[in-house]
Amino acid sequence: MKTKVAFLWHMHQPFYKDLVTNEYALPWVRFHALKDYYGMVHLLQFFPKLHLTFNLVPSLLVQIQDYADDSAKDRFFYLASKPADALSVEERVFLLRYFFQSNEFTLIKRLPRYQEIFEKVRHFQSQEEIERLSKRFSIQEYLDLQVLSQLAWFDEYYLRDDPVVRELVAKGRNYSEEDKLMVREKELELINKVIPEYKAAFERGQIEISTSPFYHPILPLLCDSRIARENLPTIALPRNRFVHPEDAETQLTKAIDFCERLFGVRPTGLWPSEGSVSDAVLDIASRLGFHWIATDEEILARTLGIGFSRSEGGKLDQPQDLYRPYQYISNKHGHTIKVAFRDHYLSDLIGFTYKFMPQREAAQDFVRKLRQAGESAQAQGVNEPVVFVILDGENAWESYWENGREFLAETYRHISDDPLLEAVTMQQATGQFQSPPQIQHIFPGSWINSNFRVWIGHPEDNLAWEYLYAAREFVERKATDGASTDLLAKAKEELYI
């Protein structure tokens, strides 16, 4: 009997766009669109037996569309393209300060000239030091930095297969302004392939596309900020209690509508931001028609009142509890939703551990652990076990050599060839269980320590919640005072962000 493996790759970046100025504060959407978002799904065409899930946060997709249209106002992109001999002193300092924000060992060192320039800068920290240093750099050094800082983030397929990009990398140094313009063209070309590549994989039935709240807020805290005390009774909370479940619902309905417009189908699955759940969130999600929602194994442990333990090698001692979905039944309105709980240990091996191992060896170890998980669950009476592997789909790979593609390809190949394993989508994994165990309450928490401390409780976080409370109250007052519909809509959008 096969063990099902349900991968969910969560694709997300914060919303960096300022709706007033339309400027992007940071370049990470563009960089990850170049390095991760396209290649992660493009890889699947070589493994047609595989099925898996990509969680695409709507606010990320909006930003990718901006870059694809070449309408994003990104200072980093602008300065990477500006003629080197026209850079002001301030702009040269900006390049030396911010154009090395890459992993030194996997991105910078891969391009010797990039590493060479980095070595000249790395020990200078203060603004005054960098200003003095900037005067000693030649125009050619700035030009090379502009080009190489972009090439470092290109997708592996482009680095290997695109003749223009391959030639630019091989050139290595002494780039021209024409070379730089070609890099920019290739960036836009690649970014324009991202969303169509997901559409193609979805249309051929190989992936499921799930969603998250539109701007990626922590939904349980929107529903009621005091939910944080259910798992941290002594936590300091903001003076004003934030209770707006209607805002949580709006974040979800906006996400549903956006994904349906973009991909032509209503999403059936939900990865709540940071795996954050509560009864109120599941009540809303089930009423809106989501079929499944996912979170972390520690939430399940706290919900069931048990403890998960692992023996040597990471083998779970309670496989019968984790390796199957559950069905949540709302006490509020009776709607149901399947709940998947990720294997924290196996997911974190990919996110944090395997980057230190040879990639083929890591892939073999991972697949061996998947088989072991399934066998142990079957031995405990679970007929069709499913292992949920859920993690960020972009952040881990920067620490892997060549973006971890060898690890992924080897993992996918082993699963495809293994008669005892089958990679399935989250909908397939949760839908196969006709009578899953039922729960009517879920422990409130996130995938980080099964609580909400990252987002509330610290003085600066509580102050932010006070500001949000006051801003929302102000907007509500203006709505009753007859403020213009357009201004109110913009103000509410800023609140949602």
Side-chain angles (χ1 to χ4, degrees):
M1 191 171 295
K2 288 189 175 184
T3 295
K4 305 295 196 299
V5 183
F7 286 100
L8 183 150
W9 299 113
H10 172 53
M11 303 304 201
H12 164 65
Q13 287 293 310
F15 194 72
Y16 293 114
K17 183 179 180 179
D18 185 321
L19 294 185
V20 176
T21 65
N22 287 325
E23 294 177 355
Y24 279 75
L26 291 169
W28 302 120
V29 168
R30 176 169 56 89
F31 279 163
H32 285 292
L34 293 174
K35 188 174 74 69
D36 302 299
Y37 300 141
Y38 168 76
M40 282 287 289
V41 67
H42 183 74
L43 175 64
L44 295 181
Q45 67 177 307
F46 304 107
F47 303 96
K49 292 181 181 179
L50 286 182
H51 297 84
L52 47 80
T53 302
F54 284 95
N55 189 76
L56 304 178
V57 178
S59 55
L60 169 67
L61 294 170
V62 167
Q63 295 177 93
I64 291 174
Q65 288 177 320
D66 268 1
Y67 280 105
D69 296 340
D70 199 14
S71 60
K73 294 181 179 179
D74 174 351
R75 188 184 186 197
F76 292 80
F77 200 20
Y78 168 73
L79 291 181
S81 307
K82 186 174 180 177
D85 60 4
L87 292 168
S88 67
V89 172
E90 178 191 2
E91 290 168 341
R92 293 180 183 192
V93 169
F94 189 92
L95 261 64
L96 296 183
R97 182 175 287 280
Y98 296 114
F99 272 43
F100 300 98
Q101 292 182 321
S102 308
N103 186 293
E104 177 184 354
F105 302 102
T106 60
L107 296 181
I108 294 178
K109 279 190 174 180
R110 196 171 177 182
L111 300 167
R113 174 63 163 162
Y114 195 16
Q115 175 73 22
E116 177 186 321
I117 299 172
F118 176 60
E119 292 297 336
K120 294 183 178 182
V121 176
R122 67 184 307 163
H123 299 299
F124 296 90
Q125 300 296 326
S126 72
Q127 183 75 9
E128 184 179 345
E129 288 177 323
I130 295 177
E131 284 181 6
R132 287 200 302 267
L133 180 67
S134 69
K135 298 173 184 177
R136 302 203 295 268
F137 271 68
S138 68
I139 297 299
Q140 187 62 59
E141 285 176 307
Y142 284 112
L143 182 48
D144 286 355
L145 175 58
Q146 288 173 305
V147 170
L148 293 167
S149 62
Q150 307 305 297
L151 288 177
W153 285 87
F154 265 74
D155 183 83
E156 295 300 319
Y157 292 114
Y158 264 67
L159 292 172
R160 186 190 69 191
D161 299 332
D162 186 276
V164 173
V165 174
R166 195 169 63 238
E167 183 177 334
L168 286 167
V169 172
K171 185 173 182 178
R173 61 177 61 229
N174 297 324
Y175 292 102
S176 66
E177 290 292 341
E178 290 73 22
D179 291 332
K180 190 167 64 182
L181 290 176
M182 184 56 66
V183 170
R184 189 181 193 282
E185 287 181 19
K186 284 295 177 180
E187 287 195 50
L188 293 174
E189 175 187 304
L190 202 169
I191 293 170
N192 270 280
K193 289 183 177 181
V194 172
I195 293 176
E197 195 73 16
Y198 284 94
K199 287 182 177 179
F202 173 76
E203 288 168 0
R204 67 175 181 261
Q206 197 169 6
I207 69 169
E208 175 184 2
I209 296 174
S210 60
T211 194
S212 289
F214 198 98
Y215 288 111
H216 208 255
I218 307 302
L219 292 184
L221 296 178
L222 292 187
C223 292
D224 187 350
S225 57
R226 290 194 183 174
I227 196 73
R229 283 218 170 118
E230 287 202 26
N231 46 36
L232 295 169
T234 61
I235 191 172
L237 292 180
R239 182 179 69 259
N240 289 298
R241 183 178 184 178
F242 195 93
V243 185
H244 288 289
E246 68 274 23
D247 289 359
E249 183 165 343
T250 297
Q251 292 274 355
L252 291 177
T253 55
K254 283 170 67 70
I256 292 169
D257 293 344
F258 178 84
C259 289
E260 191 166 12
R261 288 195 305 272
L262 186 60
F263 296 109
V265 66
R266 186 183 179 93
T268 60
L270 174 65
W271 171 252
S273 316
E274 310 295 344
S276 297
V277 292
S278 66
D279 287 340
V281 171
L282 268 63
D283 289 343
I284 295 170
S286 59
R287 180 167 49 78
L288 291 177
F290 284 105
H291 294 182
W292 62 263
I293 190 170
T295 183
D296 189 67
E297 68 174 48
E298 283 303 311
I299 300 297
L300 176 61
R302 302 290 291 272
T303 298
L304 299 180
I306 64 174
F308 284 126
S309 59
R310 285 181 161 82
S311 54
E312 188 175 351
K315 182 180 178 182
L316 185 66
D317 296 327
Q318 301 83 14
Q320 72 279 6
D321 293 315
L322 182 60
Y323 298 136
R324 57 184 178 180
Y326 288 71
Q327 181 163 274
Y328 173 86
I329 303 175
S330 172
N331 285 316
K332 190 172 184 179
H333 47 58
H335 290 287
T336 63
I337 188 170
K338 300 285 181 60
V339 189
F341 298 92
R342 75 171 190 140
D343 187 305
H344 190 114
Y345 170 74
L346 290 178
S347 301
D348 278 4
L349 283 177
I350 298 175
F352 303 105
T353 302
Y354 284 145
K355 63 186 177 183
F356 299 112
M357 295 173 59
Q359 293 188 40
R360 286 177 182 268
E361 181 182 326
Q364 292 168 358
D365 182 73
F366 184 69
V367 173
R368 183 167 57 250
K369 284 179 165 60
L370 290 175
R371 284 197 299 266
Q372 183 184 67
E375 290 166 0
S376 63
Q378 290 173 18
Q380 294 295 323
V382 182
N383 291 328
E384 294 183 304
V386 55
V387 181
F388 295 100
V389 179
I390 302 174
L391 67 153
D392 286 344
E394 72 269 80
N395 290 336
W397 309 119
E398 192 176 340
S399 298
Y400 283 73
W401 184 250
E402 294 184 348
N403 220 34
R405 289 295 161 77
E406 183 181 26
F407 168 78
L408 278 176
E410 284 297 299
T411 297
Y412 290 166
R413 182 178 66 80
H414 283 301
I415 293 174
S416 296
D417 294 343
D418 195 315
L420 298 179
L421 296 175
E422 181 182 2
V424 297
T425 67
M426 294 289 290
Q427 179 64 31
Q428 290 169 333
T430 56
Q432 73 176 21
F433 284 80
Q434 299 305 312
S435 300
Q438 297 181 350
I439 54 175
Q440 292 181 292
H441 165 70
I442 194 163
F443 185 83
S446 74
W447 69 348
I448 302 176
N449 301 320
S450 62
N451 60 46
F452 303 113
R453 188 183 289 278
V454 172
W455 306 279
I456 198 167
H458 298 287
E460 64 274 18
D461 293 328
N462 289 347
L463 181 60
W465 280 102
E466 294 287 7
Y467 285 154
L468 179 62
Y469 178 92
R472 199 185 187 289
E473 291 291 302
F474 176 81
V475 171
E476 288 299 315
R477 287 197 302 272
K478 288 299 179 182
T480 60
D481 291 344
S484 77
T485 303
D486 182 56
L487 282 176
L488 282 173
K490 289 180 179 178
K492 286 184 177 180
E493 202 69 21
E494 289 282 4
L495 287 174
Y496 294 143
I497 295 171

